[in-house]
């Protein structure tokens, strides 16, 4: 339970790398409170909002403020279930501002993706968007896309066997190939996932 966050903050709590890259964490979950005053959401400034055109050429139309896999739009707003916003706060709530809490990485940019699911195709589509944004960043030397360093996915399939979800598991290697690590939550159950299985935390990827 002790991640020594305060010791790390004493060394560095910037949301920008030494090379000047703005750090982005992609969170795949439900709807987000995109107006929250203590969160720093990623904005895709290479996309002109609501003009019906894929301005940045990443394969997604009007994705200025994240992506909703279910509706194929940028509409990720939602407050009925606070889980997504809660996760975003743990990851990157702005620190030392006398508001709310401090995230692990103060003020890191949050890329919201609406689609927590136990359906493999939904998860793959969500991760495809993450890969598209980081790949675009890599190929354009940072002029487009997003410097996504990690995903967070606090959902899965209790007792799910990875052999039944090969494409889902393979996505972690695919994200790793473009420079992305992934964090995932295991089952909220008192079980040994190595014998009773869990998706995705039992996937064999070294990048998860």
């Amino acid at each position: 339970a002790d991640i020594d966050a305060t010791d790390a903050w004493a060394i560095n709590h910037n949301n920008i790398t030494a090379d000047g890259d703005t750090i982005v964490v992609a969170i795949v979950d439900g709807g987000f409170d995109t107006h929250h005053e203590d969160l720093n959401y990623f904005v895709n400034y290479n996309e002109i909002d609501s003009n019906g055109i894929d301005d940045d050429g990443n394969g997604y139309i009007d994705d200025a403020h994240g992506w909703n896999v279910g509706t194929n739009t940028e509409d990720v707003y939602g407050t009925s279930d606070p889980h997504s916003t809660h996760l975003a706060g743990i990851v990157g709530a702005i620190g030392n501002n006398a508001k709310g809490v401090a995230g692990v990485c103060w003020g890191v940019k949050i890329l919201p993706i609406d689609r927590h699911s136990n359906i493999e195709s939904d998860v793959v589509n969500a991760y495809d968007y993450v890969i598209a944004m980081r790949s675009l960043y890599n190929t354009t030397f940072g002029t487009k896309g997003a410097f996504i360093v990690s995903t967070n996915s606090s959902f899965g399939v209790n007792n799910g066997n990875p052999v039944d979800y090969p494409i889902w598991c393979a996505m972690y290697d695919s994200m790793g190939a473009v420079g992305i690590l992934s964090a995932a939550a295991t089952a909220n159950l008192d079980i040994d996932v190595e014998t009773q299985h869990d998706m995705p935390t039992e996937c064999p990827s070294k990048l998860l």
Side-chain angles (χ1 to χ4, degrees):
D2 182 5
I3 63 172
D4 293 322
T6 53
D7 292 340
W9 296 337
I11 299 171
N12 188 358
H13 51 72
N14 291 332
N15 58 3
I16 299 176
T17 70
D19 293 327
D21 298 293
T22 299
I23 300 170
V24 181
V25 174
I27 297 180
V28 182
D29 209 83
F32 294 75
D33 182 358
T34 52
H35 305 298
H36 198 290
E37 64 178 358
D38 206 24
L39 293 172
N40 190 9
Y41 285 101
F42 173 82
V43 177
N44 182 5
Y45 291 107
N46 289 297
E47 192 75 18
I48 300 173
D49 202 4
S50 302
N51 70 347
I53 299 172
D54 177 17
D55 299 288
D56 61 359
N58 69 349
Y60 298 85
I61 295 173
D62 293 337
D63 60 315
H65 299 96
W67 193 247
N68 186 318
V69 173
T71 62
N72 285 321
T73 68
E74 67 164 359
D75 182 15
V76 296
Y77 178 79
T79 57
S80 59
D81 180 357
H83 189 259
S84 308
T85 306
H86 174 69
L87 287 175
I90 293 172
V91 171
I94 300 168
N96 201 31
N97 64 346
K99 296 178 182 178
V101 299
V104 174
C105 184
W106 294 4
V108 69
K109 294 282 187 178
I110 301 296
L111 176 59
I113 301 171
D114 187 344
R115 203 54 172 181
H116 64 295
S117 175
N118 57 10
I119 300 173
E120 187 172 46
S121 59
D122 287 342
V123 179
V124 170
N125 286 333
Y127 288 151
D128 271 341
Y129 180 69
V130 175
I131 292 172
M133 289 296 284
R134 178 59 194 267
S135 296
L136 186 61
Y137 191 90
N138 292 348
T139 58
T140 63
F141 302 99
T143 60
K144 294 181 180 180
F147 185 60
I148 302 168
V149 300
S150 176
T151 64
N152 184 89
S153 306
S154 294
F155 59 88
V157 183
N158 292 339
N159 304 115
N161 192 326
V163 299
D164 298 324
Y165 301 89
I167 303 175
W168 182 343
C169 284
M171 293 302 290
Y172 297 112
D173 288 329
S174 297
M175 286 189 286
V178 297
I180 303 169
L181 295 174
S182 292
T186 193
N188 291 322
L189 300 170
D190 184 17
I191 63 173
D192 180 353
V193 297
E194 293 185 356
T195 59
Q196 294 174 265
H197 303 304
D198 180 65
M199 274 295 298
T201 57
E202 205 190 359
C203 286
S205 175
K206 295 180 180 179
L207 300 162
L208 176 62

